[in-house]
Amino acid sequence: MYDVGIVGAGPAGATLARLLSGRCRVLLLHRQRAKCCGGILAPESQKMLAKLDLALPREVLVNPQPYAVAVWDLQSRLVRHYARQYANIDRNAFDHWLISLIPSDVDVRSGAVYRHAQPLDKERFEIFFTEKDEIRSEQVRFLIGADGSFSSVRREFFTNRLRPKRYIALQEWFDLQTVLPDHSPKNRIDFRNDYVGIFDSEITDFYAWMIPKNERLILGGAIPFENKPRERFERLKTKLKEFGFHFDFPCHREAGSLLRPLNPFSICLGSGRIFLIGEAAGLISPSSAEGISPALASAYYLSQAFGSNGFNLSAYRQNLWSLRWHLRFKTAKIPLMFCPWLRKQIMLTGLSTLD
Ligand SMILES: Cc1cc2nc3c(=O)[nH]c(=O)nc-3n(C[C@H](O)[C@H](O)[C@H](O)COP(=O)(O)OP(=O)(O)OC[C@H]3O[C@@H](n4cnc5c(N)ncnc54)[C@H](O)[C@@H]3O)c2cc1C
């Protein structure tokens, strides 16, 4: 029997497994599927890595390393640059690196997909998963859902809890040489070096992005689940064509779901012997969709709430207090960033910009 069964080996699950190693018997179900992600580490993520005493290895970083975000409002055609020190990473290399740090006493089941869990008594669950085309099961004392935005653990055990708004995030990768306009649009964006946030309320009430990665450029966008995301994404590409882009031949297409916890009550940390961390808990910025730092932070704080009797929910809740307030602060910023009229006025003032 294991003390802790963790579902999902993204940044949250891999970090928790590493931090619990040597303290209890841990089983980690690792589905092994490439994550669709922009791969931008915000300053908060970098601080969290420092807190975890981790330094990004060279093979995780890609070029360029943007020092600012260019905010491009397609409707008002305004552009402003804001200073932010991002790290540009290869997301799959990042996930592999975090998994490679897990000590060997953790039982990592690669290719295992969680199916469901059944409480046996007050102390134990039987968890069922598919591994090598077979249904297998193990007993655990605590079950941790670190299985991301479409968490099976959350859907199974916390159905009656308010859920964050759901988006579909689409990304297409292009050859940087062929996609850029022949003549640079008059908006002073350096598409080879800038991380670009694109705002247009006709496309989405959230945002879209362009991220250069080595010789490639990612065009991505997060669009509400119910708003025909593929059609809206194609409309975005058509709009960008007016600026001279050639988004015709993607080298790679991917999609993933993304949560936006606009209501703080949609964050769910768990109850009893089941806990949620990372995006499964709804811990992701509702203003920027940065989810790596809350994933690392929640894993760290849950590991801190582990004692001789196992996990303590109120200690976990308390440890997360400042992160939850930080996310509330980000929610408060939403009208300023996403109401087209207000955003335009703020951009016109030039406040805090590098321009
Ligand atoms: C398109 C897109 C771009 C993004 N860009 C950024 C960005 O640039 N910067 C940033 O900070 N955040 C970004 N995010 C958000 C960020 O990727 C997530 O919030 C973050 O990865 C959450 O980490 P996690 O460990 O909680 O979940 P995840 O990284 O989603 O990991 C969950 C893991 O659980 C596994 N899993 C799921 N179901 C099962 C199952 N049944 N059995 C076993 N395993 C399972 C998955 O395969 C995955 O490995 C982006 C998200 C999307 C969709």
Side-chain angles (χ1 to χ4, degrees), residues 23-313:
R23 297 167 67 190
C24 58
R25 285 201 67 204
V26 181
L27 169 70
L28 175 65
L29 302 185
H30 171 31
R31 187 172 64 174
Q32 278 187 319
R33 187 183 284 178
K35 172 82 185 175
C36 166
C37 179
I40 291 290
L41 286 186
E44 290 83 0
S45 305
Q46 297 170 43
K47 272 188 216 153
M48 206 51 231
L49 286 172
K51 194 167 181 144
L52 292 166
D53 216 3
L54 297 176
L56 280 176
R58 195 182 285 258
E59 64 271 17
V60 167
L61 293 168
V62 296
N63 286 324
Q65 292 300 321
Y67 58 86
V69 56
V71 172
W72 186 8
D73 187 324
L74 285 191
Q75 286 159 308
S76 66
R77 301 200 167 210
L78 288 172
V79 172
R80 291 287 181 266
H81 292 79
Y82 297 89
R84 266 201 110 187
Q85 248 150 21
Y86 292 111
N88 196 1
I89 57 161
D90 173 335
R91 173 62 199 263
N92 288 317
F94 179 72
D95 285 6
H96 281 130
W97 168 61
L98 288 178
I99 291 166
S100 74
L101 301 175
I102 300 172
S104 56
D105 64 314
V106 173
D107 186 358
V108 182
R109 301 285 183 91
S110 296
V113 181
Y114 170 85
R115 296 294 170 199
H116 66 102
Q118 208 171 326
L120 294 174
D121 51 37
K122 282 187 179 166
E123 290 282 307
R124 294 169 304 149
F125 292 98
E126 177 120 29
I127 61 171
F128 295 87
F129 51 95
T130 321
E131 193 181 15
K132 296 185 185 128
D133 294 330
E134 274 179 35
I135 302 278
R136 299 195 175 166
S137 76
E138 294 287 355
Q139 290 184 12
V140 301
R141 287 176 58 224
F142 291 92
L143 174 62
I144 314 293
D147 45 349
S149 56
F150 203 53
S151 166
S152 307
V153 177
R154 180 169 178 152
R155 281 182 292 130
E156 187 180 354
F157 290 100
F158 303 101
T159 34
N160 52 356
R161 301 286 272 270
L162 187 66
R163 295 172 63 87
K165 185 167 177 179
R166 201 163 148 228
Y167 287 72
I168 296 294
L170 296 157
Q171 289 199 144
E172 291 190 356
W173 293 63
F174 297 89
D175 183 347
L176 196 52
Q177 296 293 345
T178 58
V179 79
L180 293 184
D182 307 325
H183 304 289
S184 177
K186 288 191 186 114
N187 52 22
R188 295 167 292 112
I189 299 178
D190 176 356
F191 292 99
R192 287 179 187 280
N193 291 301
D194 285 345
Y195 164 40
V196 186
I198 303 170
F199 293 78
D200 186 331
S201 59
E202 288 172 9
I203 305 292
T204 174
D205 62 0
F206 209 178
Y207 76 112
W209 53 87
M210 278 191 220
I211 305 170
K213 291 225 182 251
N214 292 333
E215 295 312 310
R216 298 267 171 94
L217 181 83
I218 301 179
L219 174 68
I223 299 165
F225 180 67
E226 61 282 1
N227 284 3
K228 299 188 176 155
R230 173 53 63 190
E231 269 177 35
R232 297 269 183 128
F233 189 73
E234 290 304 322
R235 202 144 93 211
L236 169 68
K237 282 162 67 181
T238 309
K239 282 196 170 200
L240 291 170
K241 264 191 185 168
E242 289 168 25
F243 293 88
F245 287 92
H246 309 282
F247 286 122
D248 301 310
F249 303 108
C251 336
H252 176 57
R253 281 185 164 150
E254 54 192 2
S257 80
L258 184 72
L259 298 180
R260 197 177 186 202
L262 295 166
N263 183 330
F265 292 107
S266 60
I267 290 173
C268 170
L269 302 179
S271 70
R273 292 179 165 267
I274 306 172
F275 294 82
L276 299 173
I277 54 175
E279 208 175 326
L283 294 165
I284 177 167
S285 163
S287 60
S288 63
E290 286 159 12
I292 296 176
S293 88
L296 298 172
S298 53
Y300 173 72
Y301 291 126
L302 184 60
S303 78
Q304 296 249 306
F306 184 80
S308 49
N309 292 328
F311 294 103
N312 179 329
L313 181 61

